[in-house]
Amino acid sequence: MDRRFYITTPIYYVNAEPHIGHAYTTIVADVLTRFHRLMGYETYFLTGTDEHGDKIVQAAEAAGTDPKSYADRISALFRETWPRLNIRHDDFIRTTEPRHVRVVQHILQKVYDKGDIYFDTYRGHYCVGCERFITDRELVDGKCPDHDTPPVEREEANYFFRMSAYQGWLIKHIEQNPDFIRPERYKNEVLAFLRDPLEDLCISRPRERLSWGIPLPFDERFVTYVWFDALINYVSALDYPDGALFRKFWPVAQHLIAKDILKPHGIYWPTMLKAAGIQPYRHLNVHGYWKINEGKMSKSRGTVVRPLDLAPTYGLDAFRYFLLREMVFGLDANFSEDALVQRLNADLANDLGNLFSRTLAMTSRYFGGQVPPFGDPEEPEDAELRHLLEQAVEQYQKEMPQLGFHKALMTVWDVINAANQYIDRTAPWDLAKDSSRRGRLQRVLRTLLELNKTVAVLLVPFTPETAEKMLFRLGVACNALDVRLDRDAVWGSLREGGAVEKGEALFPRVDLKKIASDKPLGKKDAPAVAAASAPKATRETPLGVQDGLIGIEAFQRLDLRVGVIRAAQRVPKSKKLVQLTVDTGERRQVVAGIGEHYAPEELVGKTVILVANLKPARLMGVESHGMILAAHDTHGLRLITTDAPTAPGSKVS
Ligand code: MSP
């Protein structure tokens, strides 16, 4: 059997910061990768950013900067976000990298030489949001249904990819490989689309209209259409055509996307591959959309949920668990913090947390914290629980590769719940009172310890930190990435006499009532992202402050950025206040109390460090969006700066 696994996420546009939708896809890719490692596969996980095209040019213009600097800044945000969600990707590709540009041009030339790219004039409806011409059939009330905007009429001489020539082949391929696109509803959607004749795909943009793209190798007056460019990342990152990674991983390639980009992945990409003489990917895995209050996430309504605002508040593993447990892969799901808290309290703190802490507390109380021998022979209730666990392990292995994450988790939770009932039924506390029943007590606790160990192993892909913690406390020192199901979930593999550690609760309960100034997500009056990002006192120790010390999570809530002062003037009637225009990739107005230490003209051009996520405030009638950092001593005040020129917007950590 092929024990290699290659998964990709979409490469995200750099016109928006990472939100929960991006996080979901990338976490799913991480869970799948970790699952395949657990099964002993050699894995490769690719993500990255999509940086060319109209959209990016417009976003850069709106931010008052050039496309490259803009892309650098937002791409860095994505790159920095993933490790903080415990995502371990192997590569992060940017479409502006030379290694990608080279492969795009290579493939274009190959398809052109073959005669599958031709020059022609086209007139039609162009949607700027989709960055493509859209057909009459796709319009709803004269508007693009995805962007709710009317398309613009455009006529252009361009290059076209002869996609129509591959329609018959694609239909056949999908029919012969029923899990090529999954779940089935999306396969059907693609097949329904293919019932009508497929039009050829316009794959160029005249340079005079759009210069931010990859030049066509056979006609420098044009750049490549962003989708033709972007899709190729999946092979350029593997160093197509001659790279060892390509040879090793492309034959097992799986893509992960949401339904919004089904057409480019389900139709353009396989036909492009066919034309370029590359075998098709193995699976296209398509999930639904996260909605907020049953609506689309929207910047203007303040319902964009940022993963890094949630993870530190509720814990990374709780956040990952929630996303994977709540959404049925393929269907839409609704996100709310209430739902997250409910799952955290019920599934993690109660069911899992109680099982684990009861098992360890009793091992500690009755066996001095050492793994007991199996003791008396197995009784029917012990065997029943063990069988349930075995079945769960089997079911889990069936569900995971076919994206049934919520079902895999439900199966694990059936075992957890059964084990909690087993504790209630066998009442180890009563057995402990009777020394003649010591052997039975050993059997019960050893059964529970072995079960907890296997549960921890099954949780490795979903909640790696917790799984590691559980295994460690059961005396199995390990790194989550090195755990293997066939070796580490073996019944009886705990070392008899090995020490276990009682420790603290795995998941402290979160008290919703304690959540200060809570506003449900999506309320009109909730400030953008505030419901998700407000520093809520959700725990006994808000922000993890303990004995005056803060955890790294508290520090990470600060968004510190490098800024360059572009303009400065005194705030009228104030000796102290100076109004600054600070360039952090975008222009911000900041009011600083440094007027007694610096003249405005001295400040222009200085590099400073800015707290970028401070709530806006008004100082003597002037709005301030951030605070710049300074050091004070007896000689006065000095601004904090960097020791060499640093790009505005760079993150400080
Ligand atoms: N750049 C293209 C993809 C090119 S891939 C060769 C693009 N970028 S995107 O930034 O718009 O990302 C779209 C993807 O982000 C979706 O397919 C999905 O993976 C994720 N999501 C964005 N919003 C989402 C939700 N609300 N819910 C779930 N996933 C979502 O399209």
Side-chain angles (χ1 to χ4, degrees):
M1 210 172 90
D2 225 342
R3 296 192 84 76
R4 281 164 297 152
F5 174 76
Y6 172 43
I7 190 97
T8 68
T9 71
I11 45 171
Y12 303 111
Y13 285 130
V14 289
N15 64 349
E17 296 192 8
H19 58 59
I20 191 173
H22 307 123
Y24 174 74
T25 315
T26 319
I27 290 174
V28 169
D30 187 63
V31 169
L32 274 172
T33 306
R34 287 178 186 268
F35 165 74
H36 282 89
R37 272 188 81 106
L38 187 66
M39 301 305 293
Y41 280 59
E42 196 176 348
T43 59
Y44 205 73
F45 168 8
L46 172 71
T47 188
T49 44
D50 187 356
E51 307 185 2
H52 290 128
D54 279 339
K55 255 198 233 242
I56 310 307
V57 173
Q58 285 168 10
E61 265 167 20
T65 183
D66 61 289
K68 180 71 172 88
S69 322
Y70 183 74
D72 285 348
R73 183 164 72 81
I74 308 287
S75 176
L77 277 182
F78 278 94
R79 192 192 285 264
E80 286 160 11
T81 296
W82 304 144
R84 289 166 67 185
L85 298 176
N86 222 339
I87 289 165
R88 296 293 162 90
H89 48 79
D90 294 285
D91 196 0
F92 185 102
I93 189 155
R94 302 182 55 187
T95 52
T96 47
E97 286 177 82
R99 62 169 172 155
H100 174 72
V101 173
R102 228 177 10 246
V103 177
V104 171
Q105 292 188 325
H106 173 92
I107 289 181
L108 279 165
Q109 190 67 53
K110 196 166 172 191
V111 179
Y112 181 72
D113 292 345
K114 200 178 164 203
D116 276 343
I117 290 177
Y118 62 91
F119 194 61
D120 200 4
T121 303
Y122 184 84
R123 183 180 172 79
H125 314 301
Y126 185 86
C127 172
V128 179
C130 297
E131 307 211 38
R132 63 181 176 90
F133 285 99
I134 55 178
T135 59
D136 285 338
R137 206 152 44 92
E138 287 176 87
L139 293 175
V140 177
D141 298 332
K143 290 181 182 169
C144 161
D146 288 340
H147 296 93
D148 201 29
T149 49
V152 289
E153 277 304 304
R154 251 183 210 176
E155 182 179 270
E156 256 174 23
N158 263 312
Y159 284 89
F160 288 81
F161 164 49
R162 216 179 291 282
M163 196 157 73
S164 55
Y166 297 98
Q167 175 163 11
W169 166 80
L170 181 58
I171 294 173
K172 217 168 173 186
H173 186 79
I174 296 175
E175 281 169 350
Q176 284 171 353
N177 297 275
D179 57 2
F180 183 59
I181 301 174
R182 56 187 186 177
E184 203 177 356
R185 55 191 315 172
Y186 296 110
K187 171 185 102 173
N188 295 338
E189 210 173 289
V190 170
L191 283 174
F193 194 84
L194 288 170
R195 254 180 242 134
D196 292 321
L198 201 55
E199 285 177 21
D200 288 345
L201 184 68
C202 176
I203 55 141
S204 65
R205 297 289 178 266
R207 233 171 165 171
E208 76 247 13
R209 180 157 70 72
L210 175 75
S211 60
W212 184 238
I214 299 178
L216 295 183
F218 41 82
D219 191 340
E220 293 265 317
R221 294 171 306 157
F222 292 87
V223 296
T224 313
Y225 165 48
V226 66
W227 271 107
F228 203 96
D229 161 352
L231 288 160
I232 289 174
N233 90 87
Y234 301 136
V235 295
S236 66
L238 297 183
D239 206 8
Y240 167 81
D242 299 319
L245 282 174
F246 178 74
R247 273 198 303 278
K248 184 187 265 182
F249 288 110
W250 183 252
V252 294
Q254 299 201 28
H255 302 307
L256 193 58
I257 59 166
K259 60 184 185 179
D260 55 335
I261 50 177
L262 176 60
K263 196 171 162 192
H265 283 82
I267 296 179
Y268 304 174
W269 182 222
T271 54
M272 282 166 65
L273 286 167
K274 184 71 183 162
I278 306 172
Q279 72 180 101
Y281 52 77
R282 198 172 263 188
H283 299 295
L284 177 62
N285 306 309
V286 189
H287 64 76
Y289 247 49
W290 280 99
K291 300 193 163 170
I292 312 293
N293 290 346
E294 306 299 340
K296 253 193 155 177
M297 233 182 290
S298 135
K299 221 171 172 178
S300 54
R301 269 180 284 146
T303 55
V304 176
V305 180
R306 297 192 308 191
L308 290 185
D309 295 326
L310 291 167
T313 307
Y314 298 107
L316 196 49
D317 278 351
F319 177 63
R320 290 173 59 114
Y321 170 79
F322 172 77
L323 293 182
L324 272 289
R325 175 64 185 80
E326 193 74 7
M327 181 175 256
V328 175
F329 193 92
L331 304 181
D332 291 349
N334 195 49
F335 178 86
S336 79
E337 268 181 292
D338 285 7
L340 195 163
V341 169
Q342 267 171 33
R343 285 234 173 265
L344 167 56
N345 285 343
D347 302 2
L348 298 175
N350 263 7
D351 302 342
L352 174 65
N354 278 348
L355 172 65
F356 192 64
S357 68
R358 287 163 99 191
T359 304
L360 292 190
M362 290 190 290
T363 309
S364 154
R365 198 169 315 131
Y366 307 135
F367 298 104
Q370 289 183 334
V371 176
F374 274 106
D376 284 356
E378 200 175 51
E379 290 196 6
E381 60 186 342
D382 315 324
E384 200 183 300
L385 187 62
R386 187 167 54 76
H387 285 145
L388 187 72
L389 178 68
E390 280 164 9
Q391 282 163 5
V393 173
E394 232 171 76
Q395 191 62 17
Y396 170 96
Q397 290 180 75
K398 210 170 112 209
E399 289 297 345
M400 292 296 284
Q402 57 190 29
L403 317 158
F405 309 112
H406 77 291
K407 283 200 203 148
L409 286 169
M410 276 160 75
T411 315
V412 176
W413 254 257
D414 285 345
V415 171
I416 293 172
N417 292 331
N420 272 320
Q421 285 163 16
Y422 170 86
I423 298 182
D424 299 339
R425 236 185 5 255
T426 53
W429 44 89
D430 287 338
L431 297 174
K433 288 181 199 147
D434 180 352
S435 60
S436 72
R437 311 215 60 197
R438 184 89 180 149
R440 178 72 195 134
L441 181 63
Q442 288 172 334
R443 167 62 63 177
V444 168
L445 273 162
R446 183 63 185 265
T447 298
L448 286 167
L449 286 163
E450 294 291 340
L451 179 140
N452 271 280
K453 176 198 66 191
T454 296
V455 164
V457 170
L458 298 179
L459 290 179
V460 158
F462 296 97
T463 56
E465 265 178 23
T466 305
E468 226 172 65
K469 215 188 279 177
M470 287 174 73
L471 288 169
F472 181 80
R473 282 164 59 183
L474 288 166
V476 189
C478 68
N479 174 329
L481 290 169
D482 299 327
V483 179
R484 296 288 174 269
L485 187 80
D486 59 0
R487 184 191 59 212
D488 298 309
V490 174
W491 190 259
S493 68
L494 286 176
R495 195 169 58 80
E496 193 181 310
V500 304
E501 192 189 310
K502 215 166 88 187
E504 295 171 345
L506 286 177
F507 293 93
R509 282 183 68 84
V510 170
D511 186 350
L512 259 183
K513 282 193 217 110
K514 268 197 199 156
I515 295 182
S517 65
D518 193 19
K519 275 185 187 159
L521 276 171
K523 275 249 166 116
K524 265 241 153 80
D525 56 348
V529 253
S533 67
K536 291 171 195 154
T538 51
R539 299 267 169 92
E540 299 299 315
T541 53
L543 287 180
V545 179
Q546 239 168 354
D547 301 330
L549 299 176
I550 61 164
I552 188 73
E553 301 80 15
F555 174 74
Q556 281 169 345
R557 296 184 77 112
L558 288 177
D559 187 16
L560 298 176
R561 300 273 163 186
V562 172
V564 176
I565 299 177
R566 302 289 184 205
Q569 64 185 78
R570 289 194 182 282
V571 172
K573 297 193 201 133
S574 169
K575 265 207 304 203
K576 273 194 178 167
L577 297 183
V578 187
Q579 178 183 331
L580 307 168
T581 304
V582 183
D583 176 1
T584 52
E586 59 197 5
R587 307 262 159 161
R588 292 167 169 259
Q589 178 170 294
V590 177
V591 178
I594 54 178
E596 291 173 315
H597 307 275
Y598 290 91
E601 48 289 4
E602 270 185 273
L603 289 165
V604 176
K606 273 200 194 304
T607 297
V608 291
I609 306 297
L610 183 90
V611 184
N613 60 344
L614 205 62
K615 277 190 191 149
R618 248 175 200 287
L619 301 168
M620 294 199 58
V622 185
E623 190 138 311
S624 180
H625 295 264
M627 180 175 88
I628 57 175
L629 299 185
H632 313 247
D633 69 7
T634 48
H635 302 292
L637 173 149
R638 290 286 109 198
L639 289 174
I640 309 293
T641 186
T642 57
D643 72 350
T646 312
S650 303
K651 186 142 182 60
V652 178
S653 53

